[in-house]
Amino acid sequence: MLTGEQHLAKLDTPQKVVITMHHKPDGDAMGSSLGLYHFLQAKGHQVHVIAPSDYPDFLHWLPGNDQVIEYTSNRRESRALLSQADIIFCLDFSALSRLMEMKDVVASSPAQKWVIDHHLSPESFADLMYWDSSAAATAQLIYTFITSVLGEKDSITEEIATSLYTGIMTDTGSFRFRSTTSEVHKIVAQLIDCGARNWQIHENVFNTNSEKRLKFLGFCLSERLVVLPEYNTAYISLSREDLIKFQITTGDTEGLVNYALSIKGIRLAALIVDRTELIKLSLRSLGEIPCNEICSKYFSGGGHLNASGGSSLEPLEKVIERFKSILPEYKELLIKQ
Ligand code: 5GP
Ligand code: MN
């Protein structure tokens, strides 16, 4: 879906552009943003990428990473850029609350807001919206935005291809989720033709574990994994002390929830982490089990049907109890074969 198409003509002349994405950006948020950054910069626009928070070390090799401004450590510069921009691209989110502390600065900027995203239930703050909840990744939408909407297929450079490949690879769980259609594979093939080195990208993202992180994974699986066979559900919960003991930083808990979901027969998995300021939940499911409904109804969050997140201000034990108390409501779906 493309709305506000008439605004596209703005890109015919040089604009002051800021690209931003959701708080604690993942591979898709950063890959999309840097892919678009390289494209717009080559077209003569003045472009800045502002991340609302820090993001995992395993994304710091991305081309253009050294140009990314982190809001929480550069508030003054970020505010000036956001308030002086002509266009603010909002990538991989469609609810302003996902900008956390940066929300008000973006909302009050006179800049046009252009949203490119694949999350369900978008808010209506955008001047231009390119949105498709069936897309596997926002990076896929950036690819079609550049090639189909703007008709700039020949402008996909190696840097753009590498960034977008990373976004699609991470948001599809390395091309294995249901969202990985033949169309996604066709786009990925074109990105490889444009210079994305698939094996190198995989190495950079997945084979950069530290010994500490691997031992932490062992701890989570042996000490913190709980299986509830009567509900085909498994969860991992982590206390503040656990995070301190293993010196956990942003990104170290990424992908943990998938181990719980990988147990045979498990159809719903949760990762529940005490991040001090709040308890953060990550939910994953199979089939029709609606993670997004569970997160929006009970944990002030949302996301996709099979992958969602939310949070709570209650203590960890209370949140675990609440999570378990919800399961009877979904029992029919959970035990369906
Ligand atoms: P993750 O579990 O990897 O943090 O997030 C899974 C999905 O849920 C992502 O698509 C993410 O955008 C969405 N999500 C995560 N946390 C939140 C949240 O607090 N609110 C909303 N609306 N979506 C979230
Ligand atoms: Mn995404």
Side-chain angles (χ1 to χ4, degrees):
M1 183 188 77
L2 175 66
T3 56
E5 193 175 352
Q6 72 279 7
H7 296 303
L8 281 173
K10 265 178 103 74
L11 292 183
D12 295 342
T13 51
Q15 301 291 325
K16 279 184 269 179
V17 175
V18 171
I19 300 171
T20 191
M21 71 305 288
H22 59 78
H23 184 254
K24 296 282 175 190
D26 56 8
D28 187 31
M30 290 313 297
S32 301
S33 297
L34 288 169
L36 184 64
Y37 166 81
H38 291 297
F39 170 76
L40 292 174
Q41 216 192 25
K43 292 287 155 200
H45 302 286
Q46 189 196 104
V47 196
H48 290 91
V49 179
I50 303 180
S53 70
D54 62 344
Y55 50 97
D57 288 343
F58 64 77
L59 296 174
H60 285 206
W61 61 273
L62 278 165
N65 181 70
D66 55 342
Q67 299 299 311
V68 177
I69 300 166
E70 234 177 81
Y71 180 79
T72 41
S73 38
N74 298 282
R75 286 186 179 80
R76 191 194 294 247
E77 183 191 6
S78 304
R79 284 195 193 120
L81 289 168
L82 286 162
S83 60
Q84 288 158 19
D86 301 310
I87 303 169
I88 300 175
F89 276 92
C90 298
L91 306 188
D92 204 35
F93 71 97
S94 37
L96 278 171
S97 61
R98 301 214 58 214
L99 290 170
M100 303 295 272
E101 204 191 315
M102 226 173 81
K103 174 186 163 190
D104 294 337
V105 194
V106 170
S108 63
S109 167
Q112 284 205 348
K113 320 295 182 313
W114 290 18
V115 172
I116 303 181
D117 184 40
H118 67 141
H119 288 94
L120 293 168
S121 320
E123 287 176 359
S124 54
F125 66 90
D127 297 285
L128 180 141
M129 179 100 162
Y130 186 53
W131 176 86
D132 181 359
S133 66
S134 71
T138 297
Q140 177 187 346
L141 293 176
I142 299 291
Y143 180 83
T144 52
F145 183 74
I146 294 173
T147 57
S148 306
V149 176
L150 302 178
E152 294 273 4
K153 196 160 194 265
D154 294 338
S155 301
I156 304 285
T157 60
E158 183 181 323
E159 287 169 319
I160 298 172
T162 300
S163 306
L164 299 184
Y165 186 100
T166 305
I168 298 175
M169 180 186 80
T170 52
D171 249 28
T172 56
S174 296
F175 316 108
R176 72 199 152 94
F177 297 159
R178 205 197 282 193
S179 55
T180 317
T181 57
S182 66
E183 184 57 27
V184 172
H185 280 288
K186 282 175 200 152
I187 290 174
V188 162
Q190 283 162 25
L191 293 174
I192 292 174
D193 287 343
C194 290
R197 293 190 188 90
N198 48 331
W199 80 97
Q200 183 79 61
I201 295 170
H202 198 277
E203 281 286 302
N204 291 349
V205 172
F206 295 113
N207 290 356
T208 52
N209 274 318
S210 61
E211 182 184 340
K212 178 200 78 182
R213 188 175 181 221
L214 228 54
K215 288 193 166 149
F216 171 64
L217 171 63
F219 167 80
C220 293
L221 300 181
S222 65
E223 306 296 324
R224 293 291 180 259
L225 173 67
V226 176
V227 179
L228 306 169
E230 68 276 30
Y231 291 112
N232 290 333
T233 295
Y235 69 89
I236 294 170
S237 65
L238 295 168
S239 68
R240 219 177 314 171
E241 292 72 32
D242 294 337
L243 302 187
I244 293 167
K245 183 175 165 195
F246 287 91
Q247 299 166 327
I248 292 311
T249 54
T250 303
D252 285 341
T253 54
E254 188 95 14
L256 264 182
V257 66
N258 295 322
Y259 286 96
L261 192 67
S262 73
I263 301 169
K264 190 169 183 196
I266 292 300
R267 295 170 56 78
L268 176 65
L271 173 69
I272 309 173
V273 184
D274 189 342
R275 296 214 181 271
T276 306
E277 63 280 13
L278 45 73
I279 308 289
K280 183 75 194 161
L281 293 98
S282 280
L283 263 60
R284 299 291 184 271
S285 69
L286 300 181
E288 302 305 315
I289 300 159
C291 289
N292 49 356
E293 183 188 299
I294 298 174
C295 283
S296 65
K297 226 163 127 181
Y298 298 101
F299 301 112
S300 328
H304 313 279
L305 183 73
N306 297 128
S308 297
S311 59
S312 171
L313 294 173
E314 290 189 312
L316 181 62
E317 289 310 318
K318 275 260 171 62
V319 178
I320 296 170
E321 282 315 310
R322 178 181 294 269
F323 174 69
K324 290 202 279 193
S325 75
I326 291 161
L327 301 176
E329 185 184 333
Y330 294 94
K331 185 153 188 178
E332 217 169 288
L333 284 174
L334 289 167
I335 60 173
K336 203 166 132 188
Q337 284 312 316

